[in-house]
């Protein structure tokens, strides 16, 4: 069974999204399979498609600090399966947002498209926290276990969900889900 495992390192956000700041994210592949670096107008990351079906993906990243701003901004780091070649996607990650009140807010979430993201209630996420996420197909076929672990605090979340999408890709993505990317500060 193909596995995409991503390990935390520091990346410059300019490389990711053409911005002028830095972020922390996961990018080193240990599966031995060819990885393709992709980017689009609102995201960039790694996609593996050569040894489908994908039944497992894991990733680690450090939740970045973001600056309070006058306008709402957002970013998200996530892992997923099936998003490259279809409209179905199972994913889990963290979001770093500045809301309309101008203050930074952090969440952990999971999502199975086309449904909207489910924020995990009571799951605390702060800048500097090391996160571990996994999405694993259970032996029951279309049932999948989605897990998020805050390695810094020891908080763990897990849910079993039904996923009917394609298993033709495994992804790690840093995304700008709104028109304004969260401000990560200046590169040092």
């Amino acid at each position: 069974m193909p596995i995409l495992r991503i390990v935390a390192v520091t990346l410059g956000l300019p490389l990711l999204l053409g911005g002028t700041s830095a972020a922390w994210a996961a990018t080193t592949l240990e599966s031995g399979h060819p990885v393709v670096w992709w980017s689009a107008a609102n995201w960039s990351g790694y996609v593996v498609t050569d040894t489908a079906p994908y039944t497992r993906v894991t990733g680690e990243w450090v939740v970045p600090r973001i600056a309070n701003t006058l306008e709402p901004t957002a970013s998200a780091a996530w892992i997923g399966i099936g998003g490259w070649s279809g409209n179905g996607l199972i994913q889990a990650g963290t979001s770093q947002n500045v809301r309309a009140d101008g203050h930074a807010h952090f969440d952990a979430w999971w999502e199975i498209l086309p449904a909207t993201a489910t924020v995990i209630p009571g799951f605390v996420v702060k800048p500097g926290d090391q996160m571990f996420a996994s999405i694993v197909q259970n032996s029951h076929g279309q049932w999948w276990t989605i897990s998020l672990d805050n390695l810094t605090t020891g908080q763990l979340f897990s849910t079993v969900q039904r996923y009917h999408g394609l298993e033709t890709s495994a992804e790690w993505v840093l995304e700008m889900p709104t028109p304004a990317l969260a401000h990560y500060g200046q590169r040092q």
Side-chain angles (χ1 to χ4, degrees), residues 20-88:
T20 59
S21 55
W24 292 261
T27 61
T28 304
L29 181 71
E30 292 184 349
S31 73
H33 300 288
V35 177
V36 179
W37 171 266
W38 290 97
S39 65
N42 72 326
W43 70 271
S44 65
Y46 288 97
V47 178
V48 180
T49 61
D50 70 320
T51 56
Y54 290 91
T55 58
R56 175 185 189 94
V57 63
T58 66
E60 292 180 38
W61 62 93
V62 175
V63 177
R65 295 191 187 288
I66 60 171
N68 294 337
T69 59
L70 297 176
E71 66 181 46
T73 62
S75 68
W78 55 267
I79 59 166
I81 291 179
W84 181 248
S85 58
N87 60 359

Side-chain angles (χ1 to χ4, degrees), residues 60-128:
E60 292 180 38
W61 62 93
V62 175
V63 177
R65 295 191 187 288
I66 60 171
N68 294 337
T69 59
L70 297 176
E71 66 181 46
T73 62
S75 68
W78 55 267
I79 59 166
I81 291 179
W84 181 248
S85 58
N87 60 359
L89 168 64
I90 184 170
Q91 63 187 125
T94 59
S95 60
Q96 303 75 228
N97 304 317
V98 174
R99 295 186 175 165
D101 66 3
H103 295 287
H105 184 78
F106 302 85
D107 287 309
W109 52 271
W110 62 272
E111 182 175 25
I112 300 174
L113 295 180
T116 59
T118 299
V119 173
I120 302 167
F123 195 96
V124 178
V125 178
K126 298 182 313 249

